[in-house]
Amino acid sequence: MPTITIDGQIIEAADGAMLLPVALEHGIHIPHYCWHPKLSIDGSCRMCQVEVEGSPKLVIACNTPVRDGMVVHTSTPRVETTRRGVMELLLVNHPLDCPICDKAGECLLQDYAYAFGSRHTRTREPRRKLEKRKDIGPRMILDQERCILCRRCVRFCREITKSNELGVFGMGDRSVLDVLDDAPLANPYSINTADICPVGALESKDFHHKVRVWFLKKTPSVCGSCANGCNITIHHYRNQIWRLMPRRNDAVNETWMCDHGRLNYQFVQSPERLRQPLLRRDGGLQPCTWDDAIGEAARQLYHAAHAEGGGAIGAIASPHLTNEEQFRFAQLLQALAATHVDLAVVEGPADDVLVKAEKAANARGARDMGLRPAPGGAGVPRLLDAAAAGQIRVLYVCGADLWETADRAALERALAGVHCLIVQDVRRSPLAEHAHVVLPSLTFAEKTGTFTNHAGRVQRVHQAIAPAEGQLSDGEIFTRLLNRVTEGRWSFEPTAVLAEIAAAVPAYQGVSFARVGGLGWPLAETASATPTGAGTAQGASV
Amino acid sequence: MATRTVTVVRPRSGGHSWWVSPLAMLQGMWIAQRHFLRNLWGWIIGKPTVFTVQYPEQRLIHPGAFRGMPVLVQMDTGKERCVACGLCEWACPTDCITIFPAETADEIERYPRLFDIDMSRCMFCGLCEEACPEEAIVMSQRVEIGAFSRRGTVWHKADLLVPADQLMDTRLHHVRRSYDR
């Protein structure tokens, strides 16, 4: 273990580590553009130059291995003059676009120009004219004038997505970042290049000219678009989501996220959102109060369970709800002795970078909470057949996944066979048109709780958006139903429900919000193999 | 500590005799009458001699440093100079500015789709003008923000636009001088 001294601070570094990451880890900030923790070393920006005693020239910290007894100075007059020179050269051709640039406010060039640059420009020559607003892919635009040629994006496309779309063409002061005409930047991770771009050269079309970054409030959360559970930050302002950004978690998504997940947030603020419970009256769905809707749903469930037994109730859980909500739903179904319980999950293509096949955040958590067919209970296909045969009196469907995955003809037959359909969803789906009771629910951005990703990592979501007035979360709806059905006095408080989960589900023993923290908490390895709750090996077939 | 007693002797009346009061009244009447007659004479011969401005028929032209309500500078093309960078919105201490940016096909690719100033909240401080990198929002000579409803005190982009040449003498020269642009 080499021991080095940076600015008088004595640091134990790992063998073969580079100077820059070691300094950053210990809170010594060395300015840099081209170095990125998850990409290879390029050494092209020359911004991280530092003085090492015994070395005649300044060295770049990103590509200098630590050596025992090394003494490093990061802010001597020589280093500062060099930085100012580097900044001046980078700014020679940089356009004065800050007022219209989406990056302004989180731009490294801006920050370092304030910190290390000189106040005035000494050049009088016109700046380089290149292509602005170049359409380089379905989700990205490129402003070549703004590029400082750090090549982070080039290395990203070469090393992470291995698709090699971006490249630097030309030589010397004619170098320009570009794509080939027949190979646009269309890989499923393309917007990450906008995140890692230290300036505003690469911009996401979705966020282009939408809102200034300094107005955005940031709430840590977890992406809900697939089972991988990438850690994200929700950037919101005026109670609207403006973008989702990846949040670094080396155990899950490093610093990346896929474009599909990143752009999948408009449904939260869609005008099609259900805001009021609906009841079927006089042949049509009509708005009603929560008491009426929950009362009617509870009455139907209670009568079915007591007149014909738990087999007369069918329940399809949603893989989009938090663990706490799934747990309450499982409790409700247990209280009704329902056996025909299953989970519907949309499946799609997966890849070997991040994207997983199950297109929902918490399918694993739902199964762990016991939302899977009980012994003698039916999975989705058999459940629909049973409903078509008139054996199921009340069908309780959460989410829209059933509508998207189930065989349409079988579903139509099943809907004709049930006496009462309860639909709980965030949008008015086609399924809701058949319903007797429609319960509007909330999205991942509007509630607090935990998700369990495909690998059994419990991760926390926080409320970013205030729900519309009078809206209830799924957990609150389940709890009210549970109280009606059992005459209990439960309340829905995520912290308390998580404690109930820790006590009731063996795999989740010891889980708490404090333990989950910002980066999640992995369940014990054996937990994934042991079936929990009342589940059996036939599991949740979709 | 030894106490010391001081006897203060004050005059019984104001030091004047009783006949001063009617004289002071007459003096006041004389001053008022003098002004009235002088104004009347000035009005008759068409050369008013008093400072009073007959608002709203007459208005003063204020010096360049005067801060009335903020307005948007309009270019010769009829469009606003503003690029919706949001710095004034950020600088505003009373949060009276609301901007929704949008993209155009023009060379300046950004413009404010909506630019509202709630004049009932504005305190005419001029920080928006100081923050503006485009010389697009400046303080004007206007001060009349009266309206019949609260909604009426919100000025929209179309109400706020003022051609640049109208603002040049009144404010733009001053802005360039004071902010060293």
Side-chain angles (χ1 to χ4, degrees), chain A residues 364 368 372 506-507 525-533:
Chain A
R364 164 81 189 254
D368 286 352
R372 47 167 84 183
E525 266 312 305
T526 49
S528 54
T530 323
T532 55

Side-chain angles (χ1 to χ4, degrees), chain B residues 9-83:
Chain B
V9 183
R10 293 201 176 92
R12 276 177 60 239
S13 67
H16 304 291
S17 303
W18 63 270
W19 47 265
V20 173
S21 311
L23 271 187
M25 279 162 61
L26 288 174
Q27 189 187 15
M29 283 179 198
W30 161 240
I31 291 171
Q33 287 304 307
R34 194 181 60 190
H35 278 290
F36 172 72
L37 291 170
R38 191 186 283 168
N39 292 353
L40 187 67
W41 180 243
W43 181 71
I44 290 169
I45 63 166
K47 282 183 191 163
T49 53
V50 286
F51 186 72
T52 311
V53 176
Q54 297 302 319
Y55 181 85
E57 289 80 17
Q58 294 174 359
R59 278 149 206 258
L60 284 178
I61 292 175
H62 301 292
F66 180 83
R67 296 199 305 266
M69 58 190 255
V71 294
L72 291 174
V73 181
Q74 191 177 28
M75 296 186 293
D76 295 340
T77 57
K79 290 185 177 164
E80 63 282 327
R81 241 185 224 170
C82 174
V83 296

Side-chain angles (χ1 to χ4, degrees), chain A residues 125-286:
Chain A
E125 292 74 21
R127 283 154 199 261
R128 201 156 70 132
K129 282 278 169 216
L130 290 168
E131 204 160 352
K132 293 181 88 71
R133 280 196 278 182
K134 177 168 183 174
D135 191 339
I136 56 164
R139 294 173 291 278
M140 294 296 296
I141 47 173
L142 169 65
D143 189 318
Q144 293 173 333
E145 288 181 1
R146 292 180 193 161
C147 177
I148 57 166
L149 299 168
C150 72
R151 291 188 288 206
R152 274 184 179 185
C153 52
V154 177
R155 279 172 286 147
F156 175 81
C157 290
R158 198 169 62 212
E159 292 159 17
I160 307 293
T161 64
K162 301 187 173 61
S163 47
N164 293 307
E165 292 104 338
L166 286 162
V168 175
F169 297 80
M171 288 170 72
D173 70 342
R174 290 192 190 83
S175 303
V176 58
L177 180 72
D178 211 341
V179 290
L180 294 174
D181 285 341
D182 56 348
L185 181 62
N187 69 58
Y189 294 88
S190 61
I191 307 181
N192 286 304
T193 56
D195 297 346
I196 59 176
C197 183
V199 295
L202 285 157
E203 288 179 335
S204 154
K205 280 182 188 170
D206 181 61
F207 187 67
H208 197 44
H209 294 325
K210 285 281 165 62
V211 63
R212 307 303 292 182
V213 296
W214 51 80
F215 291 118
L216 295 170
K217 297 180 187 72
K218 301 171 179 77
T219 305
S221 187
V222 173
C223 175
S225 295
C226 85
N228 196 51
C230 294
N231 287 214
I232 58 166
T233 310
I234 300 176
H235 288 214
H236 54 102
Y237 172 53
R238 292 184 180 131
N239 210 30
Q240 264 194 61
I241 300 179
W242 292 93
R243 64 175 174 183
L244 305 182
M245 292 279 273
R247 182 161 55 88
R248 184 170 172 182
N249 187 340
D250 291 351
V252 182
N253 58 320
E254 299 194 321
T255 57
W256 320 120
M257 77 184 289
C258 73
D259 291 357
H260 171 74
R262 189 193 296 258
L263 301 179
N264 187 16
Y265 63 86
Q266 285 298 348
F267 70 95
V268 175
Q269 48 229 25
S270 152
E272 291 166 21
R273 278 288 295 277
L274 278 168
R275 300 289 188 192
Q276 237 189 331
L278 307 171
L279 257 183
R280 187 166 293 279
R281 280 181 188 147
D282 314 325
L285 282 173
Q286 288 177 3

Side-chain angles (χ1 to χ4, degrees), chain B:
Chain B
M1 230 182 170
T3 32
R4 194 165 65 97
T5 309
V6 178
T7 311
V8 180
V9 183
R10 293 201 176 92
R12 276 177 60 239
S13 67
H16 304 291
S17 303
W18 63 270
W19 47 265
V20 173
S21 311
L23 271 187
M25 279 162 61
L26 288 174
Q27 189 187 15
M29 283 179 198
W30 161 240
I31 291 171
Q33 287 304 307
R34 194 181 60 190
H35 278 290
F36 172 72
L37 291 170
R38 191 186 283 168
N39 292 353
L40 187 67
W41 180 243
W43 181 71
I44 290 169
I45 63 166
K47 282 183 191 163
T49 53
V50 286
F51 186 72
T52 311
V53 176
Q54 297 302 319
Y55 181 85
E57 289 80 17
Q58 294 174 359
R59 278 149 206 258
L60 284 178
I61 292 175
H62 301 292
F66 180 83
R67 296 199 305 266
M69 58 190 255
V71 294
L72 291 174
V73 181
Q74 191 177 28
M75 296 186 293
D76 295 340
T77 57
K79 290 185 177 164
E80 63 282 327
R81 241 185 224 170
C82 174
V83 296
C85 75
L87 285 177
C88 53
E89 200 179 355
W90 185 246
C92 182
T94 61
D95 280 351
C96 69
I97 304 177
T98 308
I99 305 171
F100 285 144
E103 188 171 2
T104 63
D106 296 352
E107 194 189 358
I108 303 168
E109 45 189 87
R110 240 174 113 97
Y111 79 105
R113 174 166 61 84
L114 176 144
F115 196 115
D116 282 359
I117 301 182
D118 187 345
M119 291 301 174
S120 64
R121 295 173 75 165
C122 177
M123 60 182 203
F124 298 5
C125 66
L127 286 182
C128 50
E129 177 190 68
E130 191 172 347
C132 184
E134 304 284 337
E135 207 174 70
I137 186 167
V138 293
M139 309 311 277
S140 68
Q141 305 251 327
R142 292 191 203 169
V143 287
E144 293 134 332
I145 59 170
F148 289 102
S149 67
R150 288 188 186 251
R151 189 165 290 180
T153 63
V154 178
W155 288 52
H156 306 296
K157 190 170 87 175
D159 315 324
L160 291 167
L161 281 174
V162 177
D165 48 354
Q166 282 182 32
L167 290 164
M168 194 50 84
D169 293 337
T170 54
R171 189 68 185 176
L172 284 177
H173 280 314
H174 175 80
V175 168
R176 286 176 194 170
R177 210 167 48 242
S178 46
Y179 301 131
D180 191 22
R181 287 191 183 139

Side-chain angles (χ1 to χ4, degrees), chain A residues 62-131:
Chain A
C62 66
N63 204 12
T64 304
V66 291
R67 164 167 53 73
D68 202 29
M70 203 176 200
V71 181
V72 185
H73 302 285
T74 68
S75 54
T76 60
R78 199 168 153 216
V79 172
E80 274 166 14
T81 315
T82 309
R83 270 180 200 158
R84 201 155 48 241
V86 171
M87 278 309 301
E88 192 163 19
L89 288 174
L90 288 174
L91 289 168
V92 159
N93 278 315
H94 195 79
L96 298 172
D97 272 355
C98 298
I100 59 163
C101 176
D102 287 335
K103 203 76 180 188
E106 54 181 12
C107 172
L108 287 182
L109 198 66
Q110 258 185 353
D111 294 350
Y112 291 160
Y114 273 105
F116 310 112
S118 61
R119 274 200 62 150
H120 297 281
T121 166
R122 289 189 288 166
T123 53
R124 285 164 185 281
E125 292 74 21
R127 283 154 199 261
R128 201 156 70 132
K129 282 278 169 216
L130 290 168
E131 204 160 352

